[in-house]
Structures are given as C-alpha cells and as structure tokens.
Amino acid sequence: MTSPAEKPHLARKLWLLFSQAVTVGCAGALVWKLFAPAIPAQDPLAEHLTILSAQNDFSSAVERAAPSVVNIFTRKQVTARRAEEIGVDWNGDPEVHMKALGSGVIVSGRGDILTNYHVVDGFPNIFVALADGRTFEARLRGWDVETDLALLEVKAKNLPAIEIADSTELKVGQTVLAIGNPFDVGQTVTSGIISALGRHGFGLNNYEDFIQTDAAINQGNSGGALVNLEGELIGINSAIFSPDRSEGFVGIGFAIPSSIITAVLPGLMSEKQIERGYLGFVPRQLSQELAQDLSLRVSSGVLVKQVIPESPAAKADIRSFDVILEVDGKPVSRANRLLQTIARIKPGAAVNVKILRGERVLTKRLIASARPQGALEKEALIPPQYEE
C-alpha cells in the first residue's frame, strides 16, 4: 500500500509519462503530415461527372431486355435463273433467298413472339433469329389487324421472355431504349426519351394510343421492343414520322403501349378472334375551334361525326353532332380513349351514354353488340393543316 509521503512522487512520475506520450504523438503527426503522400479532396465536378456517367449507363437494362428481342425474316428457294436476276451466282443450283422483315419480342418462355401485324402480313415462310444465334421457323399463331399486333410461335423451350411493365404509369421525359434490327445490320440499341403520350389520329390502326419517342427507330425496328431502364417492355415500336416519304428517322417514332398489348395478348395466345364491344358511331376529337364553329357549350370532348345505320347507337337515337360527355358515368375527353372504353364493353351489355345535344344534356341507354370485322367505328381523321 502506498504511504502518504510517496503519493506526490508517484503523481509526478505519472505526469511525466503522460507528457512524454503526448510529445511523441505530436511528433508522429508532424512527420506524417510532412512526408505522407497528399490525398486530394474530391473534385465536385469529377463527382458530378461520375454520377452522370452512372445515370447514362444503360447496360443493365440492355442485358435484361436484349436476349428477348429477335430478328424476323423470310426465305424461299429460287431457281438458278432467278438467282442470276438478283445478282448472285450459285452454279445453277436452287438456293435460298432471304429477306429481313422486322423485329419481334419473346413474351413467353415456350416460344411466343410478339410483333407488328404489318411485319408478317402476306409472308408464308417466316423465320426467327434469336439473339444467341439460333434460328427457328415460325408459325403465325394469331393476329389483330385493329391494333396491328401479331403473335408468332416457334418450337423452342426456356426462351428468355421479357417482363412487361404498365405503360399507364409512364411520364413524358422518361428515358427509354429501342431495341431491334434496323436495316438488317444486326441487333441495335438506341436511347431517347418519351416525347409524348397518347398520340392518335394518324390512321395507322383503329386503336391508337401511341407512345412517342425520339429514340432512333428505322426500317427493321418495327415489332421490336421499347423498354424502360429496368429492361421491361413498355411498347412495341411500330412507325415513324418521315416528311416527304423519305423513310428516314427525324426524331419522331411511335410505339404501341403495353396497356394495349396486355389487353390483346391473351386473345392472341388463345388463337381466338379478339371480341370487342360495338356501339356504332364514328367519333371525332372536338377542338376548341370546332366547338366555336358549332356554337357548342363545351370546348373539348368527342363529337359524333357519323352514326352507322342499324347500329346500337342508331337504335338509341344517337345523332351526328351529338357530343359524348360520359359513358357509364366516366367522363369522356379523347376519341381514342372512348374507342378503347367501347371495346371493353361485353357484347349484350347495357351502357348509359350521356350526350350534349344543342342546349340539352340527355342520357341514352344502348345495348352493345359485337364489333363486326371491317367496322366503320374508328376515329375520324382530321385533315392536316398546311401553311402556304
């Protein structure tokens, strides 16, 4: 046990040890500061560029989606004389002449491939080339002219089917990727943004609700995939706007949205005719100028341009120049969305349609029928306006 006389001496010894430890630590810190390599501070610009580079790296989305995108082509044997006509010499033996048609997207692992109907229409010998190099003969399993969609089938298993996202959640400005086989150069990926949603009135098909994008789409991209940054399918690339019929891409491409795809795909897979409701009038998008010319109380909506004779609309006394306000209590504002609403009505079902006729608001009860083939119930096209 320490005596009272020894305590001051012990305290001085401990203080001396503490002072020496502090001195050695400070000296070590000074030596490190003088001789250690300098660690530069993070450059804010470099950090921003790193983040931007990561945001512009689409490789993960491509890795997920690209294996599901295929090349569609046709081939047939030609005689030696015909071979010479197309510019090749096969020593007099019949050979195979191949022609690229477009692109397609694998939608099931058992061999179902979705594409545009216009890609495969009229071609009896259809073949599919997968991204891994395998080639299969395809059978046209089902088609829907109304939406320009078709389903091919190949005899293969465990194919990489694409995931389908909900296009109703898309926003203008969102980054998207287009994957296909333009000009038969091989699978190609282009990037862009969603330029607009709900484009319609072009007369390309009867149920237009296009996604507009500036991702480059060219000949051969038709039927290919428009995907989000998760690699999920949001649309089937279908058409471009090309002035003066130059067929060159100018930054305006259109894709059929997945909301239409998911509505049609079950029917195509069942190999049955797509059944849609039918009311029997031709709608036209109502503009503010047209509403003023007709002295209407509304400035937007859907105008009845024509009523088809003997149709449910005719039997319910729907008339030309009526304005459709509601269908079964749901407001109507766009002609293309009205057609989609009518298509979802089951044939034989009753539906209440609220209309504006002159100064009166009326409600008509219609009994929907099945949409006939070649129906005139489609959006009336507005003549384009040209500046002199």
Side-chain angles (χ1 to χ4, degrees), residues 34-52:
L34 290 174
F35 298 103
I39 301 176
Q42 179 68 42
D43 183 356
L45 178 59
E47 185 178 4
H48 175 72
L49 291 175
T50 301
I51 295 173
L52 189 61

Side-chain angles (χ1 to χ4, degrees), residues 237-304:
N237 299 318
S238 299
I240 62 171
F241 173 79
S242 185
D244 302 324
R245 298 183 179 179
S246 63
E247 298 185 355
F249 182 70
V250 294
I252 302 177
F254 302 104
I256 299 170
S258 62
S259 58
I260 289 180
I261 293 169
T262 53
V264 172
L265 192 55
L268 297 180
M269 287 184 167
S270 66
E271 301 187 27
K272 296 179 180 178
Q273 183 178 345
I274 307 297
E275 187 177 71
R276 296 183 170 94
Y278 174 75
L279 297 183
F281 60 85
V282 177
R284 174 175 174 176
Q285 190 67 45
L286 183 63
S287 65
Q288 186 173 0
E289 293 77 12
L290 182 58
Q292 290 176 349
D293 292 343
L294 298 176
S295 301
L296 298 174
R297 287 166 40 192
V298 292
S299 59
S300 64
V302 179
L303 183 74
V304 176

Side-chain angles (χ1 to χ4, degrees), residues 63-242:
E63 287 175 2
R64 285 191 289 269
S68 303
V69 182
V70 306
N71 176 27
I72 299 174
F73 62 97
T74 183
R75 66 183 185 184
K76 61 180 179 179
Q77 284 193 339
V78 294
T79 64
R81 180 176 297 178
R82 175 61 180 148
E84 292 173 0
E85 290 176 2
I86 62 177
V88 292
D89 179 14
W90 288 314
N91 299 318
D93 295 328
E95 274 292 349
V96 173
H97 173 51
M98 291 186 288
K99 177 183 178 181
L101 299 178
S103 305
V105 184
I106 300 171
V107 291
S108 81
R110 63 179 181 271
D112 292 314
I113 297 170
L114 188 67
T115 186
N116 287 132
Y117 176 68
H118 76 260
V119 167
V120 297
D121 181 27
F123 293 97
N125 302 310
I126 302 172
F127 295 82
V128 167
L130 274 57
D132 62 12
R134 289 182 293 167
T135 300
F136 298 93
E137 186 171 4
R139 177 178 75 91
L140 183 57
R141 185 175 178 184
W143 63 91
D144 179 40
V145 180
E146 304 267 29
T147 57
D148 189 29
L149 290 172
L151 189 68
L152 302 177
E153 180 184 48
V154 297
K155 293 182 179 180
K157 296 181 179 179
N158 301 319
L159 296 184
I162 201 164
E163 295 290 332
I164 302 179
D166 184 1
S167 62
T168 62
E169 297 180 357
L170 297 177
K171 296 180 180 179
V172 174
Q174 184 176 336
T175 300
V176 291
L177 308 175
I179 309 177
N181 181 38
F183 302 112
D184 198 27
V185 299
Q187 190 177 88
T188 301
V189 182
T190 56
S191 66
I193 63 169
I194 294 175
S195 305
L197 294 167
R199 292 298 197 201
H200 61 105
F202 304 114
L204 298 175
N205 62 59
N206 294 337
Y207 291 97
E208 296 179 346
D209 197 15
F210 291 117
I211 301 168
Q212 181 182 327
T213 179
D214 66 348
I217 298 173
N218 288 290
Q219 293 182 51
N221 273 108
S222 288
L226 188 70
V227 303
N228 59 22
L229 294 187
E230 300 299 319
E232 299 167 326
L233 184 72
I234 58 172
I236 293 292
N237 299 318
S238 299
I240 62 171
F241 173 79
S242 185

